[in-house]
Amino acid sequence: MDADQFEACWHAHIRRVVAYAERHVGRDASYDVAASTFLTAWRTWETIPSEPLPWLISVARGHVRNHHRSLRRRAGLEQRLELLDTSAATGADTGVTATERAEALRVLAAMPEQDREALLLVAWEGLTTEQAAEVLGCRPGTLRMRLHRARARIESTSSNPLPLSRSVQ
């Protein structure tokens, strides 16, 4: 690795990489994309073609896609948290503190969709495992496995029992 060559490449192309990223992710995130792009270049310097700009833009494009994916995941998580918060607001348990509730919602939102839905059908909707399995179109044994995974996730991620339902704990 020739640090002088890398530095010359950086000076020659950083503005164009930042400009490309800025058109796709905005000013603030463009610097992160450019930094990631040049980190990739540093790590793979021996494989970069003699004319690096197209390669750098291609790598930046990949980092832009990763940035957009990350934003979509975050928006999805926020939406799930909002939906869970709205549905939890109608619950009858007034003894739950705000921090316990926030913790429960965070853990639920982070669960895989199938496990969360199984848990909520049994805990919040009061369905039996057979009824919940019918709703989800799976076998009762499959539903019990999803419930087991959901409960295990709750136990491993929270120091306090979550305020879901006694039937879940």
Side-chain angles (χ1 to χ4, degrees), residues 71-106:
L71 290 177
R72 282 192 303 274
R73 280 193 303 266
R74 181 180 177 151
L77 178 59
E78 288 172 357
Q79 182 182 24
R80 287 192 307 272
L81 280 172
E82 185 177 317
L83 288 170
L84 289 170
D85 189 44
T86 301
S87 63
T90 62
D93 190 359
T94 57
V96 176
T97 66
T99 55
E100 288 171 331
R101 184 170 175 223
E103 174 69 8
L105 294 174
R106 184 190 63 73

Short mmCIF file of all heavy atoms in Angstrom, two decimals, residues 71-106:
data_model
loop_
_atom_site.label_atom_id
_atom_site.label_comp_id
_atom_site.label_asym_id
_atom_site.label_seq_id
_atom_site.Cartn_x
_atom_site.Cartn_y
_atom_site.Cartn_z
N LEU A 71 -32.15 3.68 6.41
CA LEU A 71 -33.25 4.60 6.67
C LEU A 71 -34.59 3.89 6.61
O LEU A 71 -35.49 4.16 7.43
CB LEU A 71 -33.23 5.76 5.67
CG LEU A 71 -32.11 6.77 5.81
CD1 LEU A 71 -32.20 7.81 4.69
CD2 LEU A 71 -32.13 7.43 7.17
N ARG A 72 -34.75 2.97 5.65
CA ARG A 72 -36.01 2.22 5.55
C ARG A 72 -36.21 1.34 6.77
O ARG A 72 -37.32 1.25 7.30
CB ARG A 72 -36.04 1.38 4.27
CG ARG A 72 -36.36 2.19 3.03
CD ARG A 72 -36.67 1.29 1.84
NE ARG A 72 -35.62 0.36 1.52
CZ ARG A 72 -34.57 0.63 0.73
NH1 ARG A 72 -34.46 1.81 0.18
NH2 ARG A 72 -33.66 -0.29 0.49
N ARG A 73 -35.15 0.68 7.21
CA ARG A 73 -35.26 -0.16 8.41
C ARG A 73 -35.63 0.68 9.62
O ARG A 73 -36.48 0.29 10.42
CB ARG A 73 -33.95 -0.91 8.67
CG ARG A 73 -33.76 -2.13 7.81
CD ARG A 73 -32.61 -2.99 8.32
NE ARG A 73 -31.36 -2.29 8.41
CZ ARG A 73 -30.43 -2.26 7.46
NH1 ARG A 73 -30.62 -2.91 6.34
NH2 ARG A 73 -29.32 -1.59 7.64
N ARG A 74 -35.01 1.82 9.74
CA ARG A 74 -35.30 2.70 10.88
C ARG A 74 -36.75 3.20 10.82
O ARG A 74 -37.45 3.20 11.83
CB ARG A 74 -34.34 3.87 10.92
CG ARG A 74 -34.59 4.78 12.08
CD ARG A 74 -33.65 5.94 12.13
NE ARG A 74 -34.01 6.79 13.23
CZ ARG A 74 -33.18 7.53 13.88
NH1 ARG A 74 -31.91 7.54 13.55
NH2 ARG A 74 -33.59 8.28 14.87
N ALA A 75 -37.19 3.59 9.63
CA ALA A 75 -38.58 4.06 9.49
C ALA A 75 -39.55 2.93 9.80
O ALA A 75 -40.58 3.14 10.45
CB ALA A 75 -38.82 4.60 8.09
N GLY A 76 -39.23 1.72 9.36
CA GLY A 76 -40.08 0.57 9.66
C GLY A 76 -40.15 0.29 11.14
O GLY A 76 -41.20 0.01 11.69
N LEU A 77 -39.00 0.38 11.81
CA LEU A 77 -38.96 0.17 13.25
C LEU A 77 -39.76 1.25 13.97
O LEU A 77 -40.54 0.96 14.87
CB LEU A 77 -37.51 0.16 13.76
CG LEU A 77 -37.31 0.00 15.26
CD1 LEU A 77 -37.92 -1.31 15.75
CD2 LEU A 77 -35.84 0.07 15.61
N GLU A 78 -39.60 2.49 13.54
CA GLU A 78 -40.37 3.58 14.16
C GLU A 78 -41.87 3.38 13.94
O GLU A 78 -42.67 3.62 14.84
CB GLU A 78 -39.91 4.93 13.61
CG GLU A 78 -38.54 5.33 14.12
CD GLU A 78 -37.98 6.57 13.45
OE1 GLU A 78 -38.63 7.12 12.52
OE2 GLU A 78 -36.88 7.00 13.86
N GLN A 79 -42.23 2.93 12.76
CA GLN A 79 -43.65 2.68 12.49
C GLN A 79 -44.18 1.55 13.36
O GLN A 79 -45.27 1.65 13.93
CB GLN A 79 -43.84 2.34 11.01
CG GLN A 79 -45.29 2.12 10.64
CD GLN A 79 -45.43 1.75 9.17
OE1 GLN A 79 -44.49 1.25 8.55
NE2 GLN A 79 -46.59 2.00 8.63
N ARG A 80 -43.41 0.46 13.50
CA ARG A 80 -43.84 -0.64 14.36
C ARG A 80 -43.96 -0.19 15.81
O ARG A 80 -44.90 -0.55 16.50
CB ARG A 80 -42.88 -1.82 14.24
CG ARG A 80 -43.02 -2.56 12.92
CD ARG A 80 -42.28 -3.88 12.91
NE ARG A 80 -40.90 -3.84 13.28
CZ ARG A 80 -39.88 -3.62 12.46
NH1 ARG A 80 -40.11 -3.39 11.17
NH2 ARG A 80 -38.64 -3.62 12.89
N LEU A 81 -42.99 0.63 16.26
CA LEU A 81 -43.06 1.14 17.63
C LEU A 81 -44.30 2.00 17.82
O LEU A 81 -44.98 1.91 18.84
CB LEU A 81 -41.81 1.96 17.96
CG LEU A 81 -40.58 1.17 18.34
CD1 LEU A 81 -39.37 2.10 18.44
CD2 LEU A 81 -40.79 0.45 19.65
N GLU A 82 -44.61 2.82 16.84
CA GLU A 82 -45.80 3.67 16.93
C GLU A 82 -47.07 2.83 16.98
O GLU A 82 -47.97 3.08 17.79
CB GLU A 82 -45.85 4.63 15.73
CG GLU A 82 -46.97 5.62 15.80
CD GLU A 82 -46.94 6.58 14.63
OE1 GLU A 82 -45.85 7.05 14.27
OE2 GLU A 82 -48.02 6.85 14.07
N LEU A 83 -47.14 1.81 16.13
CA LEU A 83 -48.31 0.94 16.13
C LEU A 83 -48.44 0.19 17.46
O LEU A 83 -49.53 0.08 18.02
CB LEU A 83 -48.24 -0.06 14.98
CG LEU A 83 -48.48 0.51 13.60
CD1 LEU A 83 -48.15 -0.53 12.53
CD2 LEU A 83 -49.90 1.00 13.44
N LEU A 84 -47.31 -0.32 17.94
CA LEU A 84 -47.34 -1.02 19.22
C LEU A 84 -47.69 -0.08 20.36
O LEU A 84 -48.45 -0.43 21.26
CB LEU A 84 -45.99 -1.70 19.48
CG LEU A 84 -45.68 -2.90 18.61
CD1 LEU A 84 -44.23 -3.32 18.78
CD2 LEU A 84 -46.63 -4.05 18.90
N ASP A 85 -47.17 1.13 20.31
CA ASP A 85 -47.48 2.11 21.35
C ASP A 85 -48.97 2.45 21.34
O ASP A 85 -49.60 2.53 22.39
CB ASP A 85 -46.64 3.38 21.14
CG ASP A 85 -46.76 4.34 22.30
OD1 ASP A 85 -46.70 3.89 23.46
OD2 ASP A 85 -46.90 5.55 22.04
N THR A 86 -49.53 2.62 20.15
CA THR A 86 -50.96 2.93 20.04
C THR A 86 -51.80 1.78 20.58
O THR A 86 -52.74 1.99 21.33
CB THR A 86 -51.32 3.20 18.56
OG1 THR A 86 -50.54 4.29 18.11
CG2 THR A 86 -52.79 3.53 18.43
N SER A 87 -51.44 0.55 20.21
CA SER A 87 -52.23 -0.57 20.68
C SER A 87 -52.00 -0.82 22.17
O SER A 87 -52.91 -1.25 22.87
CB SER A 87 -51.92 -1.83 19.88
OG SER A 87 -50.58 -2.21 20.05
N ALA A 88 -50.82 -0.53 22.68
CA ALA A 88 -50.56 -0.72 24.10
C ALA A 88 -51.29 0.32 24.93
O ALA A 88 -51.63 0.08 26.08
CB ALA A 88 -49.06 -0.64 24.38
N ALA A 89 -51.57 1.47 24.35
CA ALA A 89 -52.25 2.54 25.09
C ALA A 89 -53.66 2.13 25.49
O ALA A 89 -54.22 2.67 26.43
CB ALA A 89 -52.31 3.81 24.24
N THR A 90 -54.24 1.16 24.80
CA THR A 90 -55.60 0.73 25.13
C THR A 90 -55.62 -0.38 26.15
O THR A 90 -56.67 -0.85 26.53
CB THR A 90 -56.33 0.25 23.86
OG1 THR A 90 -55.63 -0.87 23.33
CG2 THR A 90 -56.42 1.35 22.83
N GLY A 91 -54.44 -0.83 26.60
CA GLY A 91 -54.36 -1.92 27.57
C GLY A 91 -54.91 -1.50 28.92
O GLY A 91 -54.95 -0.32 29.29
N ALA A 92 -55.32 -2.49 29.72
CA ALA A 92 -55.97 -2.21 30.99
C ALA A 92 -54.98 -2.10 32.15
O ALA A 92 -55.36 -1.67 33.22
CB ALA A 92 -56.98 -3.31 31.29
N ASP A 93 -53.74 -2.48 31.99
CA ASP A 93 -52.79 -2.52 33.08
C ASP A 93 -52.23 -1.13 33.35
O ASP A 93 -51.30 -0.67 32.70
CB ASP A 93 -51.67 -3.49 32.77
CG ASP A 93 -50.77 -3.74 33.96
OD1 ASP A 93 -51.03 -3.13 35.03
OD2 ASP A 93 -49.84 -4.53 33.84
N THR A 94 -52.78 -0.44 34.34
CA THR A 94 -52.32 0.91 34.65
C THR A 94 -51.13 0.91 35.59
O THR A 94 -50.56 1.95 35.86
CB THR A 94 -53.47 1.72 35.31
OG1 THR A 94 -53.90 1.01 36.48
CG2 THR A 94 -54.60 1.91 34.34
N GLY A 95 -50.74 -0.26 36.08
CA GLY A 95 -49.60 -0.35 36.99
C GLY A 95 -48.27 -0.37 36.27
O GLY A 95 -47.23 -0.37 36.91
N VAL A 96 -48.27 -0.37 34.97
CA VAL A 96 -47.03 -0.43 34.20
C VAL A 96 -46.43 0.96 34.13
O VAL A 96 -47.09 1.92 33.76
CB VAL A 96 -47.31 -0.96 32.77
CG1 VAL A 96 -46.04 -0.93 31.94
CG2 VAL A 96 -47.89 -2.35 32.84
N THR A 97 -45.15 1.06 34.48
CA THR A 97 -44.49 2.36 34.40
C THR A 97 -44.15 2.69 32.96
O THR A 97 -44.10 1.80 32.10
CB THR A 97 -43.20 2.37 35.24
OG1 THR A 97 -42.27 1.49 34.63
CG2 THR A 97 -43.46 2.00 36.68
N ALA A 98 -43.90 3.93 32.73
CA ALA A 98 -43.56 4.37 31.37
C ALA A 98 -42.28 3.71 30.87
O ALA A 98 -42.19 3.33 29.70
CB ALA A 98 -43.42 5.88 31.34
N THR A 99 -41.31 3.53 31.73
CA THR A 99 -40.06 2.90 31.28
C THR A 99 -40.26 1.42 30.98
O THR A 99 -39.68 0.91 30.03
CB THR A 99 -38.94 3.07 32.33
OG1 THR A 99 -39.39 2.55 33.58
CG2 THR A 99 -38.55 4.51 32.49
N GLU A 100 -41.07 0.73 31.78
CA GLU A 100 -41.36 -0.67 31.49
C GLU A 100 -42.08 -0.80 30.16
O GLU A 100 -41.81 -1.69 29.37
CB GLU A 100 -42.20 -1.30 32.60
CG GLU A 100 -41.44 -1.52 33.89
CD GLU A 100 -42.37 -1.94 35.02
OE1 GLU A 100 -43.56 -1.56 35.01
OE2 GLU A 100 -41.90 -2.65 35.92
N ARG A 101 -43.01 0.10 29.93
CA ARG A 101 -43.78 0.08 28.68
C ARG A 101 -42.85 0.35 27.49
O ARG A 101 -42.93 -0.35 26.47
CB ARG A 101 -44.88 1.12 28.75
CG ARG A 101 -45.78 1.11 27.57
CD ARG A 101 -46.97 1.99 27.87
NE ARG A 101 -47.77 2.07 26.68
CZ ARG A 101 -48.31 3.19 26.24
NH1 ARG A 101 -48.16 4.30 26.91
NH2 ARG A 101 -49.02 3.19 25.15
N ALA A 102 -41.99 1.33 27.62
CA ALA A 102 -41.06 1.65 26.53
C ALA A 102 -40.13 0.47 26.26
O ALA A 102 -39.85 0.15 25.11
CB ALA A 102 -40.26 2.91 26.88
N GLU A 103 -39.68 -0.19 27.32
CA GLU A 103 -38.81 -1.36 27.16
C GLU A 103 -39.55 -2.48 26.44
O GLU A 103 -39.02 -3.13 25.54
CB GLU A 103 -38.31 -1.83 28.52
CG GLU A 103 -37.52 -3.12 28.50
CD GLU A 103 -36.16 -3.01 27.84
OE1 GLU A 103 -35.72 -1.90 27.51
OE2 GLU A 103 -35.53 -4.05 27.65
N ALA A 104 -40.80 -2.71 26.84
CA ALA A 104 -41.60 -3.76 26.20
C ALA A 104 -41.78 -3.47 24.72
O ALA A 104 -41.64 -4.36 23.88
CB ALA A 104 -42.96 -3.88 26.88
N LEU A 105 -42.08 -2.25 24.39
CA LEU A 105 -42.29 -1.88 22.99
C LEU A 105 -41.00 -2.01 22.19
O LEU A 105 -41.02 -2.47 21.05
CB LEU A 105 -42.84 -0.46 22.90
CG LEU A 105 -44.24 -0.27 23.48
CD1 LEU A 105 -44.62 1.20 23.46
CD2 LEU A 105 -45.26 -1.11 22.74
N ARG A 106 -39.89 -1.66 22.78
CA ARG A 106 -38.60 -1.77 22.09
C ARG A 106 -38.29 -3.24 21.79
O ARG A 106 -37.92 -3.59 20.67
CB ARG A 106 -37.48 -1.16 22.94
CG ARG A 106 -36.13 -1.17 22.23
CD ARG A 106 -35.00 -0.79 23.17
NE ARG A 106 -34.83 -1.74 24.26
CZ ARG A 106 -34.30 -2.96 24.14
NH1 ARG A 106 -33.92 -3.41 22.96
NH2 ARG A 106 -34.16 -3.76 25.18
#
